[in-house]
Amino acid sequence: MKRAKQIEIAEKVRVIHRQLGHLEPSLILPLMKSDDEYLIVQDWQEGSHSANFAHKKDRKESLKLLNTLHDTHKKIAWQRVPGLHTYSQLLKWQMRHMRFKSRRNEFRAFLTKEEINQISHYSEKSLQLIAQEDVPEKEITLLHGDVVHHNFLWCSDGELRLIDFDLAHLGEADDEYILWLHRVLPAVDYDLGKIFAELPELKRLDKRKLHRLKYPNELLREWLFAVDLPLDQQLVFLDYLVPFTKRALTYWPKLWYDIDKMIKK
């Protein structure tokens, strides 16, 4: 059960479920009726659990599920579905970068000046590369919008399904594969070669877009989220975020090198 922040979001989720509900095999859990228009209610799955991107099977099955979702444009005219819109990933990331820079003084209690500068540097340089992309446009389809591990649910019938379409929107599948890789890479020590070797499905992704993996999206998003938390929640979250950040920054130079090497192949 989840309460939408806006009625428009709740209606968008219901519309998406109505469209996907006609497809087999099912990618989703059906919605249950509710008298509250803001509530999104789904049947409780006994024994269900979220995907774990540290597990090869979960990486493979979650990517397969995304592929299936993106291929629904062959059956569903998503661009005609009300409430679904496109947005620029580059613009969103540029705004996130600017917010991070404007609030850098708030991070100094937890990160060194060098670490803050590193994050800002990687962010700025990667955005410059992304802005220079010359990549042909691809088919517009439905994107889930929030491919964090807990939105992939192993259900009681043993199948993996997607939940929480609050952030769903229209766009190119490549954009969602990039966001999925951002979520998966920390679980495999940022070993990009390993991911591409074990998942041939990633051949769908235009390698010219791999510069987008240089953008430290997880770090920017999580730090901007952390500084707005109430103090008691912030302290708990920082126990995870500070070591996560320090670890990520040790891998970033190699990740940058691996991306350049892969693009040139």
Side-chain angles (χ1 to χ4, degrees):
M1 182 184 300
K2 183 173 183 179
R3 186 172 182 82
K5 294 180 180 179
Q6 300 171 350
I7 191 67
E8 293 82 5
I9 293 176
E11 183 53 34
K12 177 183 72 173
V13 172
R14 283 191 280 269
V15 168
I16 290 171
H17 274 259
R18 283 197 293 270
Q19 295 289 337
L20 293 178
H22 300 299
L23 303 181
E24 290 292 341
S26 179
L27 312 179
I28 56 172
L29 289 174
L31 297 183
M32 301 175 67
K33 290 184 178 180
S34 172
D35 293 332
D36 188 333
E37 293 183 336
Y38 285 83
L39 280 184
I40 303 299
V41 184
Q42 293 172 287
D43 189 28
W44 173 254
Q45 294 285 302
E46 192 68 35
S48 64
H49 61 277
S50 299
N52 183 345
F53 290 152
H55 298 159
K56 181 178 179 179
K57 178 183 177 182
D58 290 22
R59 295 194 294 270
K60 186 174 183 63
E61 292 302 318
S62 61
L63 181 59
K64 179 181 176 182
L65 186 57
L66 285 181
N67 287 343
T68 304
L69 176 70
H70 299 154
D71 284 346
T72 58
H73 73 82
K74 299 172 183 176
K75 298 179 180 179
I76 300 171
W78 289 113
Q79 289 175 282
R80 299 179 184 175
V81 174
L84 289 173
H85 309 283
T86 60
Y87 77 88
S88 167
Q89 188 176 80
L90 175 58
L91 179 59
K92 180 178 180 178
W93 284 358
Q94 288 171 331
M95 293 176 65
R96 184 170 284 168
H97 170 70
M98 288 187 289
R99 290 200 304 273
F100 183 86
K101 286 184 67 176
S102 70
R103 304 186 70 174
R104 58 184 298 135
N105 288 339
E106 298 177 60
F107 308 135
R108 289 181 177 175
F110 316 107
L111 297 173
T112 67
K113 181 179 179 180
E114 180 182 1
E115 288 166 340
I116 297 169
N117 287 341
Q118 281 182 297
I119 296 171
S120 184
H121 171 78
Y122 290 134
S123 175
E124 185 171 355
K125 294 301 180 184
S126 60
L127 289 173
Q128 291 172 3
L129 291 169
I130 296 167
Q132 295 169 16
E133 284 179 353
D134 183 17
V135 182
E137 292 185 357
K138 290 187 177 181
E139 186 76 42
I140 296 297
T141 187
L142 177 70
L143 305 184
H144 178 272
D146 189 11
V147 288
V148 65
H149 70 96
H150 55 71
N151 284 334
F152 295 90
L153 188 70
W154 285 108
C155 297
S156 54
D157 62 0
E159 296 296 323
L160 189 66
R161 293 190 174 88
L162 282 162
I163 60 172
D164 195 354
F165 282 83
D166 286 25
L167 300 181
H169 59 279
L170 299 177
E172 297 182 17
D174 280 1
D175 291 350
E176 188 135 273
Y177 297 139
I178 291 292
L179 291 174
W180 180 84
L181 282 166
H182 273 290
R183 295 286 191 174
V184 168
L185 281 169
V188 294
D189 293 335
Y190 298 89
D191 191 337
L192 190 62
K194 174 180 179 177
I195 291 296
F196 272 78
E198 75 178 21
L199 298 170
E201 297 91 343
L202 284 172
K203 290 179 181 178
R204 288 180 173 219
L205 174 60
D206 191 320
K207 288 186 178 180
R208 289 170 291 185
K209 283 194 172 184
L210 288 178
H211 287 301
R212 299 186 181 209
L213 292 178
K214 297 176 177 179
Y215 179 76
N217 186 47
E218 304 298 294
L219 300 182
L220 295 176
R221 187 191 61 246
E222 298 294 77
W223 277 104
L224 288 169
F225 172 74
V227 293
D228 286 329
L229 287 172
L231 182 59
D232 58 336
Q233 296 179 35
Q234 185 182 81
L235 293 174
V236 173
F237 189 61
L238 288 170
D239 281 343
Y240 146 79
L241 184 56
V242 171
F244 176 84
T245 301
K246 294 180 182 296
R247 178 172 174 271
L249 290 175
T250 64
Y251 283 105
W252 225 258
K254 183 179 184 303
L255 178 62
W256 197 284
Y257 171 81
D258 289 344
I259 292 168
D260 286 339
K261 185 177 178 181
M262 190 169 287
I263 290 173
K264 293 174 182 177
K265 280 186 178 180

